[in-house]
Amino acid sequence: MILGLLDGRPLPRTALDERLAALRNGPRSTALPRPGSSEDRQLIRWVAQVLLTEALCEAVAAERELPVTASVTASVTAPGPAFVTAPGPARLDQQAAVELGSITAAAYEGSAAVRAVYDSVTAEVEPSPVDVAHYRALTGRPPVTRWHLVLPDGTFEADPDTLPTALAEALRTAPPGEWVTVGPWTALLLATLAIPQDPDPAPALRDAARRAAFVRWIDRERAQRLTLVEGLEHPGDPAQPDNHHRH
């Protein structure tokens, strides 16, 4: 029994059986669907697609001669917010996992080859200036005002609303460069500063653009190079079709 075909080359089912056995004997086995149920059949096909994605990226990494660090065997969980439990730095936040899709996210977290191919495929992806400007227009907040004040014993910056009310009102109306004394306070407003509230959106937008580009690439490569075998849920069952379909 084979798992599928990669460029017409059969991939043995052994990896699927081993991954499923690790799941069913692992610490989260109670969260898995009942064996033989429709949900269990969906899980089997989902894990199979994760494995095929990993195999595809291993082949691409070899073709591109990409440096791939030692991969850690992952324990794939059922589809959900957390897709792979694996040691190491490869851990996606929920937004990134959703953008990649559960299969690709699981493969990314569990396979160093997938991560290497991701970096290679998306290395030149950058958000356009129009995208950055649009994002800022939608999410931007006005800058925070800070006053640069001079006191008899030094200088400091402060939010005007944190100053004594009488002193703040006097500084607002005083001519530029003029010292103001109100009760026990003496100060000079040297400059008014506008502090941006929002960080540069370009890095976050670049990450999102890279994920979108990788999804397009991996979907195309899967369609062209992978075949998932029918009948994975019941190997050897004569009731299962023996044809193949592209996935």
Side-chain angles (χ1 to χ4, degrees):
M1 184 73 179
I2 64 172
L3 169 65
L5 304 176
L6 172 59
D7 297 327
R9 174 173 58 88
L11 301 174
R13 183 193 161 95
T14 307
L16 176 60
D17 293 334
E18 291 175 350
R19 191 71 63 93
L20 291 171
L23 279 175
R24 289 166 178 159
N25 295 311
R28 301 188 64 182
S29 60
T30 56
L32 298 178
R34 178 175 53 83
S37 65
S38 60
E39 292 81 5
D40 184 60
R41 292 192 291 273
Q42 292 172 3
L43 172 65
I44 292 171
R45 296 187 67 78
W46 182 84
V47 174
Q49 292 174 70
V50 172
L51 290 169
L52 287 175
T53 300
E54 293 173 358
L56 170 63
C57 288
E58 287 167 6
V60 173
E63 293 162 4
R64 299 189 178 201
E65 299 182 344
L66 302 177
V68 177
T69 57
S71 182
V72 178
T73 300
S75 175
V76 182
T77 66
F83 303 113
V84 172
T85 302
R91 191 67 185 177
L92 296 169
D93 61 34
Q94 188 167 8
Q95 178 178 342
V98 169
E99 290 175 357
L100 286 175
S102 68
I103 293 168
T104 302
Y108 178 96
E109 290 191 332
S111 169
V114 177
R115 297 191 291 273
V117 172
Y118 175 93
D119 289 340
S120 175
V121 168
T122 66
E124 303 301 323
V125 174
E126 293 288 348
S128 70
V130 173
D131 290 338
V132 174
H134 181 65
Y135 181 87
R136 282 184 169 138
L138 292 176
T139 64
R141 294 175 294 173
V144 175
T145 299
R146 291 287 187 274
W147 281 356
H148 189 177
L149 299 171
V150 181
L151 304 180
D153 58 352
T155 65
F156 76 104
E157 291 181 7
D159 182 335
D161 293 337
T162 64
L163 299 175
T165 301
L167 177 61
E169 290 177 354
L171 288 169
R172 284 190 179 97
T173 59
E178 182 174 299
W179 285 89
V180 168
T181 299
V182 177
W185 305 292
T186 297
L188 181 150
L189 178 56
L190 187 64
T192 298
L193 310 174
I195 310 298
Q197 293 193 68
D198 300 309
D200 181 4
L205 287 177
R206 181 174 187 264
D207 288 342
R210 292 180 72 192
R211 290 190 288 267
F214 189 68
V215 167
R216 292 191 296 269
W217 179 88
I218 198 72
D219 285 348
R220 183 178 66 250
E221 293 296 305
R222 284 188 185 118
Q224 293 176 352
R225 302 182 62 173
L226 288 177
T227 301
L228 178 64
V229 171
E230 294 282 7
L232 287 170
E233 301 89 344
H234 303 285
D237 185 344
Q240 291 293 324
D242 59 2
N243 62 308
H244 306 81
H245 77 279
R246 305 295 294 184
H247 198 294

